[in-house]
Amino acid sequence: MGNRIHLLSEQTINQIAAGEVIENPASVVKELIENGVDAGATHIRVEILSGGFQWIKISDDGSGMSPDEAVLSLQRHATSKIQNADDLFSLTTMGFRGEALASIAAISKMTLLTALERAPAIRLEIEGGKTIEAGPDARARGTSIEVRSLFYNVPARKKFQKSAAASSAEITKVVTQLALAHPEVGFEFVQQNQVQFNLPPSSRELLKNRAAVLLGEEYVHSLHALEMNGAWGWVGDPLHSRHNRSGQYLFINSRPVFCPAVSFAVRDAYGTRLGADRHPIYLLHLSIPPEFLDVNVHPQKREVRLREERIVKQLLHTAVNDALFPREPLPAPMLANVSLSFTAPDFSAPLLLQEEQEETPLQELPLIMEIEPIGLYRHYLFVDAERVPSRFSCEGPGVVWFDLPAVESRLQFERLLKNSQKVQSQGLLIPLTLSYSRAEAEQLRGHFEIFHSFGLQIREIGQSVFLIDAIPPALEEQEVSIVLEEMIRELKTTDLKRKWALCICRRVRARKKSYHLREASHLIKELAQAEDPWHCPQGKKTLFYLREEDIENSFQKQPIKATADSFEKAKA
Ligand code: ADP
Ligand code: MG
């Protein structure tokens, strides 16, 4: 029998190891970009053909390598980044296992061209891990690596690869993530000889511009800056939440990672401002000391665990809240009344009648500014009439009641009409299928273009059966069928855009959610800027002003039936 015990050949070992590190073309791109970042590059260029299966080239202007180093870099466990296992805990580089180059080389045809500053370059041609040619060449400082015919010698792996299109998409995702992880590095991405983006070296402050290119204007439009010890970035306002986590970009110590604790903490900070199945969007960079991290050393897994989850969660909770609803300086007269019993000098709050749901530690009480709500009753906010923006023209003392869903619906309506040229839609994880009667289907069919222009991606997949795979962000998944039904009835009207906005706003109004004081105050401030702050799009009132004299009148003497006698009885 042939199954005698024997040592595997070096090449087979490398191919097996390669399987762990290199799953697909996107992992090649990731590893090579990270090497460029580690080498201190200021510019990294990524070029691909056919989803990377045919050709990948990554060039950087980093430190480069000497000819000896270049030869060594292809060996497994060759790394310049750690000396021993202890170094793992103070890691500042992206790579450290010394496996990527060896792995990629083992399963492709590779060209490595590299040079140190003002030094001759070396070119190495490698096939299936074997160097078949090595010689001098010329190039400026830096490294470029070409990877051709990936998986050509591991057909079993090749069989399980996705299509070129899917692979391209995955590579785009990787380049996007790494470009967001390393603002200081310039990134150029070329696909099928077409430049997809060319981002100059930037900075933390300007990362938002980069995000606008990579994730879209709409994405950055709704972001609020977040900045605190160890965390910086942006979180999206609740109205721009999504059905899935696709809008969440998290970087811990500059690595794109998935960290359930962080994801949970951020979601938690939104509280009831988000519906149960909604996910906030965010772009967050955290610096967490290595001793607080369980860096998973499995090469592909990007999941990170936190050791002191509670602390990080608490910090994030505060940071997200502050970002969404910034504390503002207390107006002067109020300061005089604030008792000094609060230890933290810049945190203090007027007395709140009712802060709902969560127990908020004292220093975290929201600081409410010019609009100083008295409190919340269900979905109504009541505010001292002398403290509401003058826009609402409430003259004289009294109380103003705001109907918050009506307010939100008004704000959403104006936003929809204003942004209607820029269609936005949000992909559904699981597309919806809806079936209609023949007549309704007939109606729908003729209006696909209009629906698309609203951000609703709909197509017919069978007789009167429609598939919807993307919807406008303002809409929740379970509301789609209701809105569509309403729209079918309205399709004959002329001003469809307006009708569409109305349908959505009706849903917003109907949503049963609870509010927080800080969020409510922000809504009111935004309302003060609205074109018509007094009505929801359906014409109902958003606010109701109760004058002090009306309140007093309600307490006017009524004829009292009770006698002195019954009063005595009650006392006894
Ligand atoms: P690791 O990054 O884990 O150390 P790699 O296999 O990715 O392992 O790279 C091996 C070594 O080759 C690195 O430690 C580094 O010294 C060198 N190297 C790889 N890519 C580059 C590059 N683009 N520029 C400079 N040196 C590089
Ligand atoms: Mg590496």
Side-chain angles (χ1 to χ4, degrees):
M1 290 192 78
N3 58 350
R4 281 281 155 102
I5 185 164
H6 64 278
L7 282 174
L8 294 171
S9 73
E10 180 72 14
Q11 196 182 6
T12 313
I13 293 173
N14 280 342
Q15 281 182 2
I16 294 172
E20 276 179 34
V21 187
I22 305 303
E23 254 172 42
N24 50 32
S27 29
V28 172
V29 171
K30 178 189 142 284
E31 292 294 340
L32 297 182
I33 291 180
E34 289 188 342
N35 280 348
V37 171
D38 284 345
T42 60
H43 194 89
I44 296 176
R45 183 179 158 100
V46 179
E47 297 162 87
I48 61 165
L49 290 176
S50 307
F53 290 111
Q54 189 187 336
W55 184 70
I56 296 172
K57 183 175 180 185
I58 316 270
S59 327
D60 68 58
D61 60 356
S63 63
M65 288 178 269
S66 72
D68 288 348
E69 286 170 331
V71 171
L72 202 58
S73 73
L74 296 166
Q75 303 279 316
R76 266 182 81 209
H77 310 303
T79 180
S80 53
K81 297 167 194 172
I82 58 169
Q83 300 288 344
N84 54 47
D86 282 349
D87 291 352
L88 280 177
F89 294 97
S90 48
L91 212 58
T92 52
T93 52
M94 297 297 116
F96 58 85
R97 300 163 60 93
E99 283 189 324
L101 284 190
S103 300
I104 300 165
I107 50 173
S108 70
K109 302 178 181 173
M110 182 164 125
T111 305
L112 173 95
L113 175 65
T114 185
L116 295 173
E117 179 86 55
R118 275 184 236 114
I122 181 171
R123 172 188 294 273
L124 297 174
E125 298 288 350
I126 304 111
E127 266 190 37
K130 288 209 174 75
T131 305
I132 52 169
E133 217 183 300
D137 208 310
R139 67 154 284 158
R141 191 193 72 188
T143 304
S144 31
I145 292 181
E146 274 179 66
V147 178
R148 293 175 304 276
S149 312
L150 189 63
F151 302 125
Y152 81 100
N153 54 353
V154 268
R157 190 150 268 279
K158 181 137 203 209
K159 237 185 6 223
F160 289 103
Q161 293 299 315
K162 295 183 181 151
S163 68
S167 174
S168 289
E170 218 154 318
I171 291 173
T172 308
K173 211 163 115 188
V174 163
V175 185
T176 299
Q177 280 185 331
L178 290 172
L180 294 171
H182 303 284
E184 69 290 353
V185 181
F187 279 89
E188 189 178 351
F189 181 42
V190 183
Q191 192 185 322
Q192 303 301 120
N193 301 314
Q194 289 194 331
V195 179
Q196 304 297 309
F197 49 79
N198 191 355
L199 308 162
S202 179
S203 62
R204 178 195 273 219
E205 291 69 33
L206 297 176
L207 183 59
K208 211 170 158 183
N209 299 347
R210 184 173 276 199
V213 174
L214 297 171
L215 311 177
E217 288 286 343
E218 192 51 44
Y219 184 93
V220 294
H221 187 70
S222 77
L223 295 179
H224 297 251
L226 177 153
E227 172 87 65
M228 73 177 299
N229 226 348
W232 64 276
W234 296 268
V235 288
D237 67 42
L239 289 173
H240 287 78
S241 61
R242 295 190 175 178
H243 303 280
N244 51 43
R245 297 199 170 83
S246 63
Q248 305 186 341
Y249 294 87
L250 174 67
F251 306 93
I252 297 185
N253 304 342
S254 297
R255 287 165 194 274
V257 289
F258 173 63
C259 177
V262 169
S263 160
F264 180 84
V266 175
R267 172 65 188 76
D268 193 52
Y270 281 78
T272 47
R273 292 166 199 131
L274 286 183
D277 48 359
R278 307 289 299 182
H279 301 277
I281 63 173
Y282 55 77
L283 167 49
L284 280 183
H285 274 266
L286 307 185
S287 324
I288 299 182
E291 60 269 25
F292 282 77
L293 284 180
D294 242 335
V295 189
N296 191 327
V297 279
H298 187 283
Q300 278 306 311
K301 258 205 207 142
R302 280 314 189 167
E303 189 169 324
V304 167
R305 297 252 159 77
L306 302 180
R307 294 240 168 86
E308 289 295 336
E309 232 171 61
R310 215 174 42 85
I311 301 179
V312 178
K313 273 184 175 171
Q314 240 167 27
L315 287 174
L316 271 176
H317 192 101
T318 313
V320 171
N321 259 293
D322 284 353
L324 292 174
F325 309 109
R327 301 154 201 257
E328 287 172 34
L330 217 54
M334 282 303 295
L335 274 175
N337 299 333
V338 174
S339 92
L340 293 174
S341 59
F342 298 137
T343 41
D346 48 346
F347 297 104
S348 41
L351 191 68
L352 305 173
L353 273 191
Q354 183 200 7
E355 171 71 333
E356 67 293 52
Q357 291 108 13
E358 308 166 354
E359 252 192 68
T360 322
L362 206 49
Q363 321 104 293
E364 278 184 32
L365 278 183
L367 189 59
I368 311 232
M369 10 61 248
E370 323 88 69
I371 303 163
E372 217 161 87
I374 302 171
L376 277 163
Y377 169 68
R378 302 204 326 201
H379 56 274
Y380 300 105
L381 178 77
F382 46 115
V383 185
D384 184 334
E386 287 174 323
R387 293 209 167 263
V388 298
S390 57
R391 179 77 200 283
F392 300 123
S393 27
C394 304
E395 278 156 21
V399 176
V400 185
W401 292 75
F402 291 92
D403 178 340
L404 295 169
V407 170
E408 263 196 282
S409 157
R410 158 58 57 185
L411 296 175
Q412 185 66 266
F413 182 67
E414 295 195 0
R415 221 174 276 146
L416 281 169
L417 289 189
K418 261 186 215 132
N419 295 337
S420 53
Q421 315 84 310
K422 281 191 281 161
V423 199
Q424 1 154 351
S425 57
Q426 181 188 334
L428 295 178
L429 215 51
I430 304 163
L432 295 170
T433 40
L434 298 173
S435 51
Y436 289 96
S437 71
R438 274 168 183 276
E440 286 168 333
E442 196 58 48
Q443 290 260 40
L444 275 176
R445 238 171 256 138
H447 290 89
F448 280 2
E449 241 169 71
I450 288 164
F451 287 123
H452 294 172
S453 76
F454 296 142
L456 187 91
Q457 296 305 327
I458 181 171
R459 61 200 147 95
E460 192 165 6
I461 51 166
Q463 185 65 47
S464 307
V465 179
F466 296 84
L467 182 104
I468 291 150
D469 51 15
I471 64 177
L475 212 54
E476 298 195 354
E477 210 169 322
Q478 66 274 19
E479 296 167 341
V480 173
S481 62
I482 308 174
V483 169
L484 264 182
E485 256 158 50
E486 286 176 5
M487 283 307 287
I488 290 174
R489 268 181 266 134
E490 305 282 1
L491 281 170
K492 287 186 207 80
T493 37
T494 41
D495 194 353
L496 271 177
K497 198 142 264 177
R498 201 181 162 77
K499 267 276 141 22
W500 172 253
L502 273 175
C503 282
I504 290 186
C505 293
R506 208 172 294 147
R507 290 302 113 218
V508 173
R509 240 204 106 130
R511 280 177 207 160
K512 297 245 180 329
K513 62 174 247 189
S514 46
Y515 294 82
H516 287 241
L517 273 176
R518 270 212 246 173
E519 177 193 16
S521 322
H522 276 261
L523 286 175
I524 302 313
K525 279 212 285 188
E526 209 180 317
L527 182 69
Q529 317 289 324
E531 261 163 47
D532 175 358
W534 296 280
H535 304 97
C536 84
Q538 275 88 38
K540 288 187 194 152
K541 279 186 187 171
T542 51
L543 62 96
F544 162 62
Y545 170 32
L546 195 57
R547 282 166 215 279
E548 193 169 286
E549 50 188 89
D550 296 330
I551 299 174
E552 268 164 14
N553 279 337
S554 323
F555 287 105
Q556 277 314 312
K557 260 196 215 148
Q558 298 286 320
I560 299 172
K561 296 264 166 59
T563 59
D565 187 34
S566 60
F567 179 67
E568 284 305 314
K569 262 188 211 152
K571 239 170 54 176

